[in-house]
Amino acid sequence: MAEYGDEDGFMLPVDDGLFADTFSDDSVYKFIGQELKISQVFSANLGVAAPVWDAALHLCRYFEENSLNLKGKRIIELGAGTGIVGILAARLGADVTLTDLPFAVPQLQSNVSANMPSSGWPSVAPSVLPLSWGQDQHIFPMDWDLVLGADIVYLAETYPLLLDTLVHLCKDRAVVYLSSKMREEHGTPGFYGDTLPQRFHVKLEHRDPTQNINIYSATLRGKQ
């Protein structure tokens, strides 16, 4: 299985010329009998949205190992980046909406198009839409079955915005699955230990101590 390299240098520098030239890397991943061809477009514009992060691969593997039935589920993915998690769900029969900031939408759409099965999508083609947390989540419906996110908890100033977005999307009893590299320096443990529990029941579903990646599920608490 191909994987994006070492994550030690997590905060990709986007202003020192590293991505002065745009380049892409195409990788193939296999989960649950599905072969996914994912293009990663490295550029100053995309920054951290470009790679397939290990936390996304862990979430895909979690679905595989726990035999989650995603067929017919209404799923929205936040901060989808390359879209690998949502695309896998769509290939398994889910009705998926992939979201990220506007600059990441073209990469998402390209990967969705590249992964349409030869027989067509088993449910419906995934939707790709821009979503800025804390700003326009209210234009999205609330009747999701699952809300997914992989390595989206890394900037402390966005945590209240992410919480507000999750609360809106989960008002009709959606279950959240978030996979994260637990970066102390970015306050990731605090989000799961303090911020998210303010409005959600939070459960640690899986931990990989070697890569320091946790997967959590969460459900919205009753009205407060």
Side-chain angles (χ1 to χ4, degrees):
M1 177 183 295
E3 293 189 9
Y4 182 70
D6 194 334
E7 286 192 346
D8 288 344
F10 167 69
M11 294 304 292
L12 294 178
V14 296
D15 58 357
D16 65 353
L18 177 62
F19 292 136
D21 296 321
T22 298
F23 65 97
S24 64
D25 177 71
D26 297 331
S27 300
V28 176
Y29 304 87
K30 294 181 180 179
F31 296 102
I32 322 179
Q34 303 295 319
E35 184 173 282
L36 308 178
K37 300 175 182 178
I38 301 297
S39 178
Q40 303 166 83
V41 182
F42 297 94
S43 69
N45 182 44
L46 278 175
V48 295
V52 173
W53 296 102
D54 285 340
L57 300 178
H58 272 63
L59 190 52
C60 292
R61 196 172 299 120
Y62 176 82
F63 292 155
E64 182 173 50
E65 293 175 351
N66 289 273
S67 302
L68 266 66
N69 182 10
L70 302 180
K71 186 175 182 179
K73 302 293 187 184
R74 282 180 45 77
I75 295 176
I76 185 169
E77 184 181 1
L78 303 178
T82 63
I84 186 170
V85 176
I87 291 170
L88 174 62
R91 291 280 294 258
L92 296 172
D95 179 353
V96 177
T97 298
L98 297 145
T99 69
D100 209 321
L101 292 171
F103 64 79
V105 167
Q107 174 177 252
L108 271 173
Q109 189 60 67
S110 176
N111 280 328
V112 166
S113 299
N115 284 280
M116 184 177 73
S118 58
S119 57
W121 295 99
S123 177
V124 295
S127 300
V128 178
L129 296 170
L131 170 55
S132 299
W133 304 340
Q135 297 181 30
D136 50 15
Q137 69 268 18
H138 298 291
I139 68 175
F140 288 79
M142 299 176 287
D143 59 341
W144 307 100
D145 295 303
L146 299 176
V147 179
L148 308 178
D151 232 345
I152 62 174
V153 180
Y154 59 87
L155 289 177
E157 59 267 30
T158 68
Y159 296 168
L161 306 177
L162 175 56
L163 182 64
D164 288 347
T165 301
L166 289 172
V167 167
H168 170 77
L169 296 174
C170 294
K171 286 183 177 177
D172 200 17
R173 301 185 180 181
V175 178
V176 181
Y177 283 97
L178 297 176
S179 178
S180 287
K181 186 95 164 181
M182 302 303 289
R183 300 179 177 88
E184 292 278 356
E185 67 273 22
H186 296 296
T188 306
F191 175 81
Y192 290 106
D194 301 319
T195 304
L196 193 58
Q198 293 173 15
R199 299 299 304 274
F200 286 81
H201 300 285
V202 181
K203 179 183 177 183
L204 176 62
E205 296 286 352
H206 171 80
R207 170 154 178 78
D208 181 343
T210 303
Q211 296 197 47
N212 194 27
I213 291 174
N214 288 1
I215 296 176
Y216 294 89
S217 65
T219 54
L220 189 64
R221 295 181 182 274
K223 292 183 178 179
Q224 301 180 4

